[in-house]
PDB file of all heavy atoms in Angstrom:
ATOM      1  N   TRP A  46     -14.349  -3.652   4.827  1.00  0.00           N
ATOM      2  CA  TRP A  46     -12.959  -3.305   4.402  1.00  0.00           C
ATOM      3  C   TRP A  46     -12.065  -3.936   5.478  1.00  0.00           C
ATOM      4  O   TRP A  46     -10.940  -4.543   5.096  1.00  0.00           O
ATOM      5  CB  TRP A  46     -12.727  -1.850   4.484  1.00  0.00           C
ATOM      6  CG  TRP A  46     -11.261  -1.413   4.446  1.00  0.00           C
ATOM      7  CD1 TRP A  46     -10.504  -1.471   3.365  1.00  0.00           C
ATOM      8  CD2 TRP A  46     -10.584  -1.075   5.573  1.00  0.00           C
ATOM      9  NE1 TRP A  46      -9.114  -1.107   3.801  1.00  0.00           N
ATOM     10  CE2 TRP A  46      -9.199  -0.939   5.204  1.00  0.00           C
ATOM     11  CE3 TRP A  46     -10.822  -0.950   7.003  1.00  0.00           C
ATOM     12  CZ2 TRP A  46      -8.198  -0.619   6.030  1.00  0.00           C
ATOM     13  CZ3 TRP A  46      -9.805  -0.605   7.882  1.00  0.00           C
ATOM     14  CH2 TRP A  46      -8.512  -0.464   7.342  1.00  0.00           C
ATOM     15  N   ASP A  50      -9.106  -6.468   4.534  1.00  0.00           N
ATOM     16  CA  ASP A  50      -7.743  -5.883   4.679  1.00  0.00           C
ATOM     17  C   ASP A  50      -6.823  -6.808   5.528  1.00  0.00           C
ATOM     18  O   ASP A  50      -5.613  -6.941   5.362  1.00  0.00           O
ATOM     19  CB  ASP A  50      -7.685  -4.496   5.129  1.00  0.00           C
ATOM     20  CG  ASP A  50      -6.490  -3.721   4.540  1.00  0.00           C
ATOM     21  OD1 ASP A  50      -6.176  -3.932   3.355  1.00  0.00           O
ATOM     22  OD2 ASP A  50      -5.873  -2.897   5.328  1.00  0.00           O
ATOM     23  N   PHE A  53      -5.470  -9.373   3.307  1.00  0.00           N
ATOM     24  CA  PHE A  53      -4.472  -8.782   2.499  1.00  0.00           C
ATOM     25  C   PHE A  53      -3.229  -8.640   3.156  1.00  0.00           C
ATOM     26  O   PHE A  53      -2.080  -9.041   2.747  1.00  0.00           O
ATOM     27  CB  PHE A  53      -4.992  -7.383   1.877  1.00  0.00           C
ATOM     28  CG  PHE A  53      -3.841  -6.761   1.196  1.00  0.00           C
ATOM     29  CD1 PHE A  53      -3.715  -7.097  -0.305  1.00  0.00           C
ATOM     30  CD2 PHE A  53      -2.987  -5.840   1.699  1.00  0.00           C
ATOM     31  CE1 PHE A  53      -2.727  -6.409  -0.995  1.00  0.00           C
ATOM     32  CE2 PHE A  53      -1.960  -5.218   0.961  1.00  0.00           C
ATOM     33  CZ  PHE A  53      -1.836  -5.505  -0.289  1.00  0.00           C
ATOM     34  N   VAL A  54      -3.274  -8.125   4.424  1.00  0.00           N
ATOM     35  CA  VAL A  54      -2.027  -7.884   5.213  1.00  0.00           C
ATOM     36  C   VAL A  54      -1.355  -9.149   5.513  1.00  0.00           C
ATOM     37  O   VAL A  54      -0.145  -9.234   5.562  1.00  0.00           O
ATOM     38  CB  VAL A  54      -2.461  -7.088   6.436  1.00  0.00           C
ATOM     39  CG1 VAL A  54      -1.184  -7.097   7.442  1.00  0.00           C
ATOM     40  CG2 VAL A  54      -2.737  -5.637   6.027  1.00  0.00           C
ATOM     41  N   PHE A  57       0.567  -9.887   2.666  1.00  0.00           N
ATOM     42  CA  PHE A  57       1.618  -8.820   2.488  1.00  0.00           C
ATOM     43  C   PHE A  57       2.939  -9.256   3.183  1.00  0.00           C
ATOM     44  O   PHE A  57       4.070  -8.845   2.797  1.00  0.00           O
ATOM     45  CB  PHE A  57       1.044  -7.518   2.935  1.00  0.00           C
ATOM     46  CG  PHE A  57       1.724  -6.321   2.469  1.00  0.00           C
ATOM     47  CD1 PHE A  57       1.986  -6.101   1.128  1.00  0.00           C
ATOM     48  CD2 PHE A  57       2.050  -5.293   3.265  1.00  0.00           C
ATOM     49  CE1 PHE A  57       2.507  -4.972   0.575  1.00  0.00           C
ATOM     50  CE2 PHE A  57       2.613  -4.081   2.789  1.00  0.00           C
ATOM     51  CZ  PHE A  57       2.840  -3.912   1.349  1.00  0.00           C
ATOM     52  N   LEU A  88       4.438  -4.524  10.424  1.00  0.00           N
ATOM     53  CA  LEU A  88       3.256  -5.450  10.095  1.00  0.00           C
ATOM     54  C   LEU A  88       3.070  -6.376  11.185  1.00  0.00           C
ATOM     55  O   LEU A  88       1.845  -6.785  11.337  1.00  0.00           O
ATOM     56  CB  LEU A  88       3.800  -6.227   8.797  1.00  0.00           C
ATOM     57  CG  LEU A  88       3.421  -5.720   7.502  1.00  0.00           C
ATOM     58  CD1 LEU A  88       3.708  -6.845   6.483  1.00  0.00           C
ATOM     59  CD2 LEU A  88       2.020  -5.226   7.369  1.00  0.00           C
ATOM     60  N   GLU A  91       0.854  -4.500  13.232  1.00  0.00           N
ATOM     61  CA  GLU A  91      -0.363  -4.218  12.492  1.00  0.00           C
ATOM     62  C   GLU A  91      -1.358  -5.493  12.589  1.00  0.00           C
ATOM     63  O   GLU A  91      -2.487  -5.319  12.750  1.00  0.00           O
ATOM     64  CB  GLU A  91      -0.077  -4.024  11.056  1.00  0.00           C
ATOM     65  CG  GLU A  91      -1.214  -3.406  10.306  1.00  0.00           C
ATOM     66  CD  GLU A  91      -0.588  -2.811   8.953  1.00  0.00           C
ATOM     67  OE1 GLU A  91       0.364  -2.016   8.966  1.00  0.00           O
ATOM     68  OE2 GLU A  91      -1.132  -3.264   7.889  1.00  0.00           O
ATOM     69  N   PHE A  95      -5.093  -5.439  14.000  1.00  0.00           N
ATOM     70  CA  PHE A  95      -6.259  -6.015  13.256  1.00  0.00           C
ATOM     71  C   PHE A  95      -7.141  -6.791  14.154  1.00  0.00           C
ATOM     72  O   PHE A  95      -8.339  -6.717  14.131  1.00  0.00           O
ATOM     73  CB  PHE A  95      -5.867  -6.630  11.895  1.00  0.00           C
ATOM     74  CG  PHE A  95      -5.874  -5.751  10.734  1.00  0.00           C
ATOM     75  CD1 PHE A  95      -4.632  -5.363  10.152  1.00  0.00           C
ATOM     76  CD2 PHE A  95      -7.014  -5.439  10.097  1.00  0.00           C
ATOM     77  CE1 PHE A  95      -4.523  -4.522   9.043  1.00  0.00           C
ATOM     78  CE2 PHE A  95      -6.954  -4.627   8.988  1.00  0.00           C
ATOM     79  CZ  PHE A  95      -5.776  -4.155   8.470  1.00  0.00           C
ATOM     80  N   TYR A 118      -5.516  -9.397  -6.019  1.00  0.00           N
ATOM     81  CA  TYR A 118      -4.321  -8.510  -5.441  1.00  0.00           C
ATOM     82  C   TYR A 118      -3.324  -9.413  -4.898  1.00  0.00           C
ATOM     83  O   TYR A 118      -2.060  -9.273  -5.058  1.00  0.00           O
ATOM     84  CB  TYR A 118      -4.800  -7.471  -4.387  1.00  0.00           C
ATOM     85  CG  TYR A 118      -4.095  -6.276  -4.203  1.00  0.00           C
ATOM     86  CD1 TYR A 118      -4.659  -5.098  -3.664  1.00  0.00           C
ATOM     87  CD2 TYR A 118      -2.720  -6.188  -4.726  1.00  0.00           C
ATOM     88  CE1 TYR A 118      -3.794  -3.971  -3.491  1.00  0.00           C
ATOM     89  CE2 TYR A 118      -1.978  -5.042  -4.526  1.00  0.00           C
ATOM     90  CZ  TYR A 118      -2.569  -3.867  -3.993  1.00  0.00           C
ATOM     91  OH  TYR A 118      -1.889  -2.729  -3.821  1.00  0.00           O
ATOM     92  N   ILE A 142       2.149   0.708  -3.045  1.00  0.00           N
ATOM     93  CA  ILE A 142       1.170  -0.025  -2.238  1.00  0.00           C
ATOM     94  C   ILE A 142       1.030   0.879  -0.866  1.00  0.00           C
ATOM     95  O   ILE A 142      -0.071   1.078  -0.456  1.00  0.00           O
ATOM     96  CB  ILE A 142       1.493  -1.503  -1.887  1.00  0.00           C
ATOM     97  CG1 ILE A 142       1.445  -2.246  -3.213  1.00  0.00           C
ATOM     98  CG2 ILE A 142       0.543  -2.080  -0.975  1.00  0.00           C
ATOM     99  CD1 ILE A 142       2.034  -3.710  -3.145  1.00  0.00           C
ATOM    100  N   GLU A 143       2.231   1.128  -0.261  1.00  0.00           N
ATOM    101  CA  GLU A 143       2.223   1.755   0.981  1.00  0.00           C
ATOM    102  C   GLU A 143       1.771   3.328   0.835  1.00  0.00           C
ATOM    103  O   GLU A 143       1.082   3.880   1.627  1.00  0.00           O
ATOM    104  CB  GLU A 143       3.655   1.736   1.597  1.00  0.00           C
ATOM    105  CG  GLU A 143       4.114   0.334   1.986  1.00  0.00           C
ATOM    106  CD  GLU A 143       3.416  -0.291   3.065  1.00  0.00           C
ATOM    107  OE1 GLU A 143       2.172  -0.336   3.109  1.00  0.00           O
ATOM    108  OE2 GLU A 143       4.075  -0.963   3.936  1.00  0.00           O
ATOM    109  N   TYR A 146      -2.040   4.025   0.899  1.00  0.00           N
ATOM    110  CA  TYR A 146      -2.624   4.040   2.154  1.00  0.00           C
ATOM    111  C   TYR A 146      -2.270   5.276   2.865  1.00  0.00           C
ATOM    112  O   TYR A 146      -3.076   5.850   3.632  1.00  0.00           O
ATOM    113  CB  TYR A 146      -2.326   2.724   2.902  1.00  0.00           C
ATOM    114  CG  TYR A 146      -3.370   1.746   2.836  1.00  0.00           C
ATOM    115  CD1 TYR A 146      -4.004   1.496   1.651  1.00  0.00           C
ATOM    116  CD2 TYR A 146      -3.967   1.101   3.932  1.00  0.00           C
ATOM    117  CE1 TYR A 146      -5.100   0.553   1.545  1.00  0.00           C
ATOM    118  CE2 TYR A 146      -4.978   0.197   3.929  1.00  0.00           C
ATOM    119  CZ  TYR A 146      -5.579  -0.109   2.672  1.00  0.00           C
ATOM    120  OH  TYR A 146      -6.566  -1.021   2.534  1.00  0.00           O
ATOM    121  N   TRP A 171      -1.957   4.514   9.348  1.00  0.00           N
ATOM    122  CA  TRP A 171      -1.199   4.715   7.949  1.00  0.00           C
ATOM    123  C   TRP A 171      -1.116   6.186   7.719  1.00  0.00           C
ATOM    124  O   TRP A 171      -0.185   6.570   6.823  1.00  0.00           O
ATOM    125  CB  TRP A 171      -2.083   3.992   6.861  1.00  0.00           C
ATOM    126  CG  TRP A 171      -2.029   2.561   6.939  1.00  0.00           C
ATOM    127  CD1 TRP A 171      -0.999   1.691   6.661  1.00  0.00           C
ATOM    128  CD2 TRP A 171      -3.013   1.777   7.551  1.00  0.00           C
ATOM    129  NE1 TRP A 171      -1.391   0.439   6.864  1.00  0.00           N
ATOM    130  CE2 TRP A 171      -2.650   0.329   7.346  1.00  0.00           C
ATOM    131  CE3 TRP A 171      -4.342   1.928   8.003  1.00  0.00           C
ATOM    132  CZ2 TRP A 171      -3.417  -0.763   7.806  1.00  0.00           C
ATOM    133  CZ3 TRP A 171      -5.155   0.852   8.348  1.00  0.00           C
ATOM    134  CH2 TRP A 171      -4.580  -0.481   8.311  1.00  0.00           C
ATOM    135  N   PHE A 176       4.751   7.011   9.460  1.00  0.00           N
ATOM    136  CA  PHE A 176       4.441   6.247   8.202  1.00  0.00           C
ATOM    137  C   PHE A 176       4.836   6.985   7.020  1.00  0.00           C
ATOM    138  O   PHE A 176       5.222   6.435   5.977  1.00  0.00           O
ATOM    139  CB  PHE A 176       2.986   5.694   8.262  1.00  0.00           C
ATOM    140  CG  PHE A 176       2.815   4.427   7.363  1.00  0.00           C
ATOM    141  CD1 PHE A 176       3.118   3.137   7.793  1.00  0.00           C
ATOM    142  CD2 PHE A 176       2.176   4.593   6.170  1.00  0.00           C
ATOM    143  CE1 PHE A 176       2.948   2.096   6.946  1.00  0.00           C
ATOM    144  CE2 PHE A 176       1.995   3.560   5.301  1.00  0.00           C
ATOM    145  CZ  PHE A 176       2.350   2.254   5.719  1.00  0.00           C
ATOM    146  N   GLU A 213      -5.812  -1.037  -5.910  1.00  0.00           N
ATOM    147  CA  GLU A 213      -6.152  -0.285  -4.777  1.00  0.00           C
ATOM    148  C   GLU A 213      -7.573   0.314  -4.935  1.00  0.00           C
ATOM    149  O   GLU A 213      -8.329   0.282  -3.973  1.00  0.00           O
ATOM    150  CB  GLU A 213      -5.097   0.836  -4.467  1.00  0.00           C
ATOM    151  CG  GLU A 213      -3.787   0.326  -3.977  1.00  0.00           C
ATOM    152  CD  GLU A 213      -3.929  -0.248  -2.488  1.00  0.00           C
ATOM    153  OE1 GLU A 213      -4.802   0.101  -1.751  1.00  0.00           O
ATOM    154  OE2 GLU A 213      -3.009  -1.066  -2.115  1.00  0.00           O
ATOM    155  N   PHE A 216      -9.940  -2.432  -4.465  1.00  0.00           N
ATOM    156  CA  PHE A 216      -9.863  -2.864  -3.079  1.00  0.00           C
ATOM    157  C   PHE A 216     -10.886  -1.913  -2.299  1.00  0.00           C
ATOM    158  O   PHE A 216     -11.693  -2.430  -1.488  1.00  0.00           O
ATOM    159  CB  PHE A 216      -8.607  -2.875  -2.473  1.00  0.00           C
ATOM    160  CG  PHE A 216      -8.441  -3.747  -1.384  1.00  0.00           C
ATOM    161  CD1 PHE A 216      -7.928  -5.093  -1.528  1.00  0.00           C
ATOM    162  CD2 PHE A 216      -8.677  -3.354   0.002  1.00  0.00           C
ATOM    163  CE1 PHE A 216      -7.860  -5.922  -0.423  1.00  0.00           C
ATOM    164  CE2 PHE A 216      -8.559  -4.220   1.051  1.00  0.00           C
ATOM    165  CZ  PHE A 216      -8.139  -5.538   0.802  1.00  0.00           C
TER     166      PHE A 216
HETATM  167  C1  NFM B 301      -5.019  -3.163   0.069  1.00  0.00           C
HETATM  168  C2  NFM B 301      -3.968  -2.460   0.988  1.00  0.00           C
HETATM  169  N1  NFM B 301      -3.015  -1.721   0.436  1.00  0.00           N
HETATM  170  C3  NFM B 301      -2.019  -1.264   1.255  1.00  0.00           C
HETATM  171  C4  NFM B 301      -2.061  -1.437   2.611  1.00  0.00           C
HETATM  172  C5  NFM B 301      -0.994  -0.805   3.505  1.00  0.00           C
HETATM  173  N2  NFM B 301       0.131  -1.721   3.802  1.00  0.00           N
HETATM  174  C6  NFM B 301       0.118  -2.430   4.906  1.00  0.00           C
HETATM  175  O1  NFM B 301      -0.714  -2.447   5.745  1.00  0.00           O
HETATM  176  C7  NFM B 301      -3.078  -2.220   3.140  1.00  0.00           C
HETATM  177  N3  NFM B 301      -3.119  -2.465   4.528  1.00  0.00           N
HETATM  178  N4  NFM B 301      -3.924  -2.685   2.245  1.00  0.00           N
END
Side-chain angles (χ1 to χ4, degrees):
W46 164 80
D50 210 40
F53 174 84
V54 166
F57 203 47
L88 270 193
E91 196 168 303
F95 267 103
Y118 209 160
I142 295 168
E143 299 291 47
Y146 262 47
W171 292 281
F176 200 78
E213 287 290 339
F216 204 93

